[in-house]
Amino acid sequence: CTRRLLLLLLLQVLATTALERTAAAYRDKVKEMFSHGYSAYMENAFPSDELLPLTCKGKNTYGGYALTMVDALDTLAVLGERERFAEAVAHIEDKLDLRGDYNVSVFETTIRVLGGLLSGHQLAADPALGLVPGYTDGLLVRARELADRLLPAFDTPTGIPIGTVNLQSGVPEGETREANTAGAGSLVLEWGLLSRLTGEPKYEMAAKTAMEALWSRRSSLNLVGGHINVDSGEWTEQTSGIGASVDSFYEYLFKGYLLLGYQEYLQMFSQAYQAVMRHQHKDGWYVDVNIFSGAMVRSVFNSLAAFWPGLQAMVGEIEPVSYTHLTLPTKRIV
């Protein structure tokens, strides 16, 4: 028995060591890939927003504020790129220009730039990490400046924001009054955090108003549509799914509860989740349906729906996650 026990312990040690080596190899590969991409951007495209991989030139596509660098701030810190992180913080504090004559997406700018500035600020301000000695909240100042330039989008009868603003002049003349549900409903994490960090409630209030305006217009089936008129509050697209046009609305409901403590958002998410599982879940697959009748409109599973099993796992709904992954290749919706 002793010999058998020792053999089992040896096998366990060997298996654990092999797993640790595999994990380390994957970790090093991820860091290598990130370093390759970030170095290519800095050498060929910075301070433009992004790198064009075929021409190796930079292009401003979002607002001319070195988007790739700002978006990668927290990744630099997590991967231990202390020098690059400090250099990025210094550039943002001293040289980042948020006054360009650019029409920008409120949603994309929020999740990429505002989110990048806020996460970077929290890392830079943490004395235990010591990433930027002498840091004086420069990223938070820039985050607040950016949010103030986006705020005109929320000046609508419903409080649901218009999708695009100009960084200099506000909402462009003739801009569509139709908003994407995911775009308008995926703001509360960043805007709420900004209010908590600055003590200024207007940011959190604007994002919460938008989220709750969307939810208050849900159908009797507790489903929301893909697009809505920001003036009338009427659904201009009455089709709903877990993918494009709605996706992160569900994510921000649950994470609003987790991060910001909105107890009512947990109830809202629970109702929304149950509606999805009742009307859109089809034997491991998820379909798009009419929000008023529940009738299936499309059975195409688009790439933006890929987040859903991760959200389910976060909530603790493990069984449908496992079922989807194990059985989906054998299923076919007709």
Side-chain angles (χ1 to χ4, degrees):
C1 288
T2 302
R3 186 177 299 176
R4 185 178 301 171
L5 179 60
L6 289 173
L7 179 59
L8 289 173
L9 288 173
L10 177 60
L11 290 173
Q12 184 176 4
V13 170
L14 291 174
T16 301
T17 302
L19 286 173
E20 289 175 348
R21 287 175 179 170
T22 301
Y26 281 130
R27 179 196 63 210
D28 293 343
K29 185 63 176 178
V30 167
K31 187 172 182 179
E32 176 191 340
M33 292 168 66
F34 172 83
S35 181
H36 171 79
Y38 189 78
S39 296
Y41 163 74
M42 292 300 293
E43 292 166 10
N44 298 285
F46 177 78
S48 299
D49 284 333
E50 61 181 349
L51 171 68
L52 299 175
L54 297 182
T55 62
C56 284
K57 294 181 180 180
K59 183 179 181 181
N60 286 326
T61 49
Y62 283 93
Y65 28 48
L67 170 71
T68 297
M69 183 183 70
V70 176
D71 203 6
L73 272 174
D74 52 355
T75 305
L76 289 169
V78 168
L79 294 182
E81 298 279 357
R82 300 174 68 93
E83 184 176 345
R84 281 178 160 176
F85 179 81
E87 290 173 350
V89 170
H91 174 83
I92 292 168
E93 289 180 318
D94 299 335
K95 299 178 180 178
L96 192 68
D97 187 2
L98 298 173
R99 301 166 299 174
D101 185 15
Y102 292 100
N103 292 342
V104 301
S105 162
V106 174
F107 167 65
E108 295 289 352
T109 303
T110 292
I111 66 171
R112 301 180 188 280
V113 186
L114 186 59
L117 291 171
L118 291 172
S119 59
H121 162 71
Q122 291 186 295
L123 290 163
D126 189 337
L129 297 176
L131 293 171
V132 186
Y135 175 70
T136 55
D137 295 344
L139 299 184
L140 183 60
V141 171
R142 288 309 182 92
R144 186 168 186 169
E145 178 188 349
L146 177 61
D148 285 338
R149 293 184 180 279
L150 299 178
L151 267 177
F154 293 85
D155 186 17
T156 66
T158 60
I160 299 170
I162 294 169
T164 300
V165 296
N166 184 280
L167 291 174
Q168 284 187 357
S169 57
V171 177
E173 185 176 352
E175 181 61 31
T176 178
R177 311 300 290 183
E178 186 176 287
N180 174 290
T181 299
S186 304
L187 307 170
V188 74
L189 298 181
E190 293 83 2
W191 289 71
L193 179 58
L194 179 60
S195 282
R196 305 294 176 91
L197 292 173
T198 62
E200 174 54 69
K202 65 181 179 181
Y203 307 113
E204 186 169 7
M205 187 179 301
K208 281 197 74 180
T209 297
M211 174 73 90
E212 290 159 19
L214 290 167
W215 180 244
S216 69
R217 290 167 171 81
R218 68 193 183 278
S219 74
S220 61
L221 302 181
N222 284 332
L223 296 171
V224 294
H227 291 85
I228 193 168
N229 184 285
V230 301
D231 297 319
S232 68
E234 297 293 324
W235 294 109
T236 56
E237 182 186 2
Q238 298 178 0
T239 299
S240 180
I242 60 170
S245 298
V246 184
D247 52 353
S248 51
F249 171 81
Y250 297 115
E251 178 187 0
Y252 272 57
L253 274 178
F254 186 66
K255 291 183 178 178
Y257 159 71
L258 288 181
L259 179 67
L260 301 169
Y262 302 153
Q263 294 297 318
E264 69 275 22
Y265 277 35
L266 180 59
Q267 182 179 1
M268 291 158 63
F269 173 79
S270 178
Q271 290 179 287
Y273 179 78
Q274 291 174 33
V276 167
M277 298 304 288
R278 181 179 301 115
H279 300 290
Q280 299 174 347
H281 184 232
K282 304 294 182 183
D283 196 24
W285 193 262
Y286 293 85
V287 300
D288 293 352
V289 302
N290 180 278
I291 64 173
F292 296 106
S293 69
M296 187 174 72
V297 178
R298 290 186 293 263
S299 61
V300 176
F301 196 83
N302 68 69
S303 61
L304 293 181
F307 81 100
W308 186 256
L311 180 61
Q312 288 180 306
M314 184 180 294
V315 173
E317 289 287 301
I318 304 301
E319 186 175 343
V321 175
S322 300
Y323 185 78
T324 294
H325 280 285
L326 292 174
T327 67
L328 188 57
T330 66
K331 301 297 180 182
R332 182 172 179 268
I333 297 291
V334 280

